[in-house]
Amino acid sequence: MTTLVNSPQQLTTQAYLFNTGQGFASQDYFGCHFVDATHVTFRVWAPQAKAVAVVGSFNDWQATPLTLDCSTGIWAGTLTTVQAGDLYKFQVTSQTGDVQLKIDPFAQEFERKPGDAAVVLAEQPMHWHDSLWLARRHKSKPQNRPINIYEVHLGSWRRHADDSYYTYAELADELIPYVKGLGYTHIELMPVMEHLLDASWGYQQLGYFAPTSRFGHHADFLKFVDRCHQANLGVIVDWVPGHFIRNYDALYQYDGTPTFEYADEDRANNRRWGAWNFDLGKTQVQSFLISSALYWLSTCHLDGLRVDAVSNMLYLDYDEGREGQVNQYGDNRNLEGIAFLQKLNTEVFAHHPDILMIAEESSSYPQVTGMVADGGLGFNYKWNMGWMHDTLDFFEMDPLYRCDHFNLLTFAFVYMFDEQFILPFSHDEVVHGKKSLMHKMPGDRYNQFANLRTMMTYMAAFPGKQLNFMGSEWGQYLEWRDWSQLEWVDLDDAMNAHMQQFTTALNTVYHAKRPLWELDHEAAGIKYTYTDDPASSTMVFIRQAKRKYSFVIAAFNFVPVERRQYRIGVPYPGTYELLLNTEDQTYGGTWTKLETTFTATDQPFHGQPASFEVTLPAMGALLIQPHKVKGESKK
């Protein structure tokens, strides 16, 4: 027999903070928690409900009523006979008498789909082994560190022969050394928050505090993050605070009325994605979402969140069918959404000043990475969607016509420092008929790989941090399919294997050479030497580090015509050495003998006082660094 004890709940500090939008650790109060070895307290916010009960495997799924504190809208009760591993839901009765089983919004683990009952977790602390990683992260700002992200969908990176998922433990054994071996600095996981529909890729979330049980238990996910940090890999996770899953047994009309979503059904209904929009102006929703963000960053030790669909939170008319919607000032800004994002970033950075808050934002909204005090949104990074679209459009084009569209490359130089950018070739660009990165490239198979190597080098040299989606590292031909693993069989082909070698070499150069990342967001980090010559479809610029004589010359040839005696202007006479040639035979190119050293004389060229000549490979790129130049001390 289940016994209910201590059911009346008085107004507490935690309840007050939650209701006033200041409860930023609400998961420690709501949900299911052990009071001692024999008592478990359940709490849920359902202010307009007529009755709430808890049902679970511990009471044969029969309703045990909870008690309402009318002043807080919180229902609570303490039960005996509950054990770790038990399943439960809340039974919510609306004021009209409708009865609906609902998830626990604050659950930290759910049963495996298709079920969505929450799991009672034992209060067992995680023993972390990442103190050295966290200390290093805290020492320097991310802006001045190399950030090279490998984006992963865990369900389709690799699967077993029977098509079953790898577990978090198996992914730790295989994914971590693989990504580390390629030379990436971070892993970005497409949403691992609990979700039911595989086809949503995790962007229609069910559990805002629960790692998905597809790959294991809550504790297994924490161990995965710990293993990443021990391997000196950061972990970023995609997070969706703008909208949630449509299912009626989830957050929608939780107490029988709009609770987490807008009361205005037109604003609540997200037609484009088949979801419900959070009411970002409601204080309890703010507490819920900011608690979720801090939970992943604090409890799970994540190094950053990529906030999905920020544009949907910034504009009233972003969704289909909402054209013409305006605020009280007559424009289309979503004032509640803007205020929430500013509040979110203020609180996150107050707790974790050394993490990444990345906005996936596709419009020209100003100051996305600007300081909140100056009217900005407060993120420290934004995906550069304009650069991504223009770059892909340029490289997809037949080289014969690139001279007429060179502005696709040069336009990004105009706004590259407007925000602190990450350059993304993400999952969105290799799905739904868009083709894989390699398949986008024009020409025969050889030229496709030559284009891909050049494009990847262009990204590595361009100011901004960078992200690549899984499979692009070896030039997978098929576009991404979320229901099956990557085409690992591709690596039996020499050209794919060479491409993978090239990615490792490029990442190694990027990580080792401070000019490629140290001044990513400052005008001093780049010198424009020869960036606008459509006729030749070539480009040269210099990336500069803080040290005067520490720089890398990046030279590109975007057409399949070799340029001999190609002159490059440089700041100093002296000797220079090759860092990377994309046409090196080792990487699948045609050059069996490389030009490895270059001598610059006092011959001015393109605004630089010295210059040297190279052979610029057809459809290729060179990265070159100074070896011994005039003016640099021997030290």
Side-chain angles (χ1 to χ4, degrees):
M1 179 72 178
T2 300
T3 304
L4 190 64
V5 297
N6 193 31
S7 58
Q9 297 296 316
Q10 302 301 316
L11 179 63
T12 63
T13 300
Q14 294 93 331
Y16 172 80
L17 292 173
F18 175 77
N19 278 304
T20 57
Q22 302 298 317
F24 303 140
S26 298
Q27 74 280 0
D28 295 335
Y29 181 65
F30 290 95
C32 169
H33 297 282
F34 279 88
V35 179
D36 54 40
T38 58
H39 294 78
V40 174
T41 296
F42 294 86
R43 289 191 187 91
V44 65
W45 176 61
Q48 301 301 320
K50 184 177 182 181
V52 177
V54 61
V55 300
S57 55
F58 44 79
N59 62 3
D60 295 324
W61 298 95
Q62 301 301 308
T64 301
L66 303 181
T67 300
L68 172 67
D69 183 332
C70 295
S71 63
T72 67
I74 298 169
W75 299 77
T78 301
L79 283 68
T80 60
T81 75
V82 180
Q83 297 180 350
D86 285 343
L87 303 179
Y88 70 96
K89 288 189 175 186
F90 291 116
Q91 179 181 287
V92 179
T93 304
S94 71
Q95 291 294 332
T96 61
D98 293 330
V99 179
Q100 177 76 56
L101 289 181
K102 292 283 190 175
I103 66 162
D104 176 4
F106 290 91
Q108 296 180 32
E109 185 172 318
F110 287 89
E111 65 178 324
R112 291 197 67 173
K113 68 182 186 74
D116 59 3
V119 178
V120 176
L121 291 184
E123 305 286 340
Q124 294 181 346
M126 168 70 182
H127 297 291
W128 292 91
H129 307 86
D130 63 349
S131 57
L132 182 58
W133 166 266
L134 295 178
R136 288 173 177 165
R137 190 185 80 182
H138 192 66
K139 282 181 65 176
S140 63
K141 295 180 179 180
Q143 293 90 329
N144 303 126
R145 296 198 301 261
I147 296 179
N148 188 7
I149 304 166
Y150 185 78
E151 187 189 22
V152 180
H153 179 258
L154 291 181
S156 59
W157 180 72
R158 191 184 285 276
R159 292 193 180 186
H160 292 293
D162 63 358
D163 207 37
S164 61
Y165 295 127
Y166 270 39
T167 65
Y168 289 121
E170 290 169 331
L171 288 162
D173 288 340
E174 296 200 25
L175 176 62
I176 292 173
Y178 177 77
V179 174
K180 184 68 178 176
L182 287 170
Y184 289 97
T185 64
H186 291 70
I187 296 175
E188 180 172 322
L189 306 177
M190 291 172 66
V192 294
M193 294 75 179
E194 191 60 85
H195 56 283
L196 295 178
L197 180 65
D198 288 339
S200 78
W201 309 336
Y203 292 99
Q204 293 192 8
Q205 296 179 358
L206 175 81
Y208 276 75
F209 297 84
T212 178
S213 56
R214 285 168 173 77
F215 315 119
H217 296 291
H218 176 274
D220 299 327
F221 176 74
L222 300 186
K223 293 174 183 176
F224 172 83
V225 176
D226 196 31
R227 292 271 300 275
C228 286
H229 287 172
Q230 291 176 65
N232 287 323
L233 282 174
V235 183
I236 303 164
V237 170
D238 289 5
W239 180 63
V240 189
H243 56 88
F244 58 88
I245 191 173
R246 265 206 194 278
N247 296 33
Y248 280 38
D249 60 346
L251 299 181
Y252 175 66
Q253 295 211 346
Y254 195 85
D255 62 8
T257 68
T259 310
F260 289 88
E261 70 277 17
Y262 289 103
D264 180 350
E265 185 173 356
D266 185 50
R267 293 192 68 184
N269 187 7
N270 191 311
R271 300 173 182 84
R272 176 173 297 175
W273 295 313
W276 300 109
N277 292 320
F278 279 108
D279 182 349
L280 299 175
K282 187 177 289 187
T283 53
Q284 295 89 345
V285 172
Q286 294 169 9
S287 290
F288 175 78
L289 290 172
I290 296 175
S291 293
S292 171
L294 289 173
Y295 168 81
W296 292 99
L297 295 168
S298 301
T299 301
C300 302
H301 284 209
L302 295 187
D303 301 285
L305 298 174
R306 195 220 69 165
V307 181
D308 184 66
V310 169
S311 299
N312 184 57
M313 293 182 276
L314 293 179
Y315 300 105
L316 294 171
D317 58 354
Y318 185 77
D319 193 19
E320 297 170 356
R322 292 188 53 78
E323 297 80 4
Q325 295 289 321
V326 296
N327 58 34
Q328 61 264 41
Y329 302 108
D331 61 61
N332 65 344
R333 291 173 300 151
N334 180 354
L335 302 178
E336 299 142 320
I338 293 168
F340 166 75
L341 290 170
Q342 292 174 325
K343 182 176 181 178
L344 165 71
N345 286 317
T346 298
E347 292 303 324
V348 163
F349 285 117
H351 288 81
H352 301 284
D354 55 348
I355 58 86
L356 300 169
M357 286 295 283
I358 305 165
E360 189 261 324
E361 205 283 304
S362 56
S363 77
S364 58
Y365 188 91
Q367 289 191 286
V368 173
T369 57
M371 295 178 62
V372 172
D374 298 329
L377 295 183
F379 290 94
N380 58 358
Y381 276 98
K382 174 185 174 177
W383 273 16
N384 194 336
M385 310 289 276
W387 175 92
M388 177 269 296
H389 284 300
D390 286 347
T391 301
L392 289 179
D393 286 348
F394 181 83
F395 275 92
E396 285 184 82
M397 192 178 301
D398 188 312
L400 181 64
Y401 305 110
R402 289 178 179 176
C403 61
D404 296 324
H405 300 275
F406 215 62
N407 62 303
L408 288 171
L409 294 185
T410 58
F411 180 62
F413 288 99
V414 175
Y415 63 87
M416 65 169 69
F417 300 120
D418 287 357
E419 305 277 5
Q420 293 188 163
F421 283 122
I422 289 176
L423 313 174
F425 289 140
S426 75
H427 65 277
D428 276 327
E429 309 317 313
V430 294
V431 72
H432 295 328
K434 296 179 183 178
K435 300 184 291 189
S436 68
L437 290 188
M438 198 281 285
H439 195 188
K440 292 177 190 287
M441 302 296 107
D444 58 19
R445 187 164 164 78
Y446 169 79
N447 277 289
Q448 285 180 315
F449 277 104
N451 269 278
L452 185 57
R453 292 191 299 269
T454 302
M455 186 176 74
M456 292 301 192
T457 307
Y458 181 68
M459 178 170 71
F462 198 89
K465 311 309 180 183
Q466 54 191 21
L467 174 146
N468 277 299
F469 185 57
M470 63 183 195
S472 64
E473 70 270 20
W474 73 71
Q476 176 171 296
Y477 182 80
L478 292 178
E479 68 176 18
W480 172 52
R481 300 172 300 176
D482 65 273
W483 61 89
S484 66
Q485 70 172 0
L486 296 177
E487 295 291 308
W488 294 97
V489 68
D490 285 352
L491 291 173
D492 293 337
D493 185 287
M495 297 189 77
N496 292 107
H498 286 316
M499 182 66 203
Q500 190 184 55
Q501 288 177 271
F502 170 78
T503 299
T504 303
L506 179 62
N507 288 347
T508 301
V509 169
Y510 168 80
H511 194 276
K513 300 305 172 183
R514 300 178 77 90
L516 297 177
W517 45 263
E518 192 172 42
L519 297 176
D520 265 328
H521 314 301
E522 301 177 35
I526 185 170
K527 296 178 181 177
Y528 314 98
T529 59
Y530 197 57
T531 56
D532 194 11
D533 182 19
S536 70
S537 291
T538 63
M539 178 182 289
V540 180
F541 55 82
I542 297 173
R543 291 300 310 278
Q544 180 69 49
K546 291 180 179 179
R547 286 181 55 245
K548 181 179 180 180
Y549 296 103
S550 178
F551 56 90
V552 169
I553 303 148
F556 302 93
N557 185 0
F558 300 115
V559 291
V561 179
E562 186 173 272
R563 307 290 184 182
R564 298 189 178 186
Q565 297 180 318
Y566 185 86
R567 185 162 291 275
I568 294 176
V570 291
Y572 314 102
T575 58
Y576 291 74
E577 61 186 4
L578 179 71
L579 285 172
L580 184 102
N581 182 333
T582 61
E583 278 299 293
D584 187 333
Q585 190 178 42
T586 305
Y587 311 137
T590 59
W591 282 41
T592 57
K593 186 176 181 180
L594 304 178
E595 295 177 320
T596 57
T597 59
F598 313 91
T599 301
T601 64
D602 288 318
Q603 180 177 342
F605 193 71
H606 288 148
Q608 298 297 313
S611 62
F612 58 82
E613 288 185 344
V614 303
T615 300
L616 191 58
M619 195 60 67
L622 301 175
L623 297 180
I624 298 169
Q625 69 176 355
H627 174 60
K628 186 178 180 181
V629 296
K630 185 176 180 180
E632 184 179 19
S633 67
K634 291 183 179 180
K635 179 180 178 181

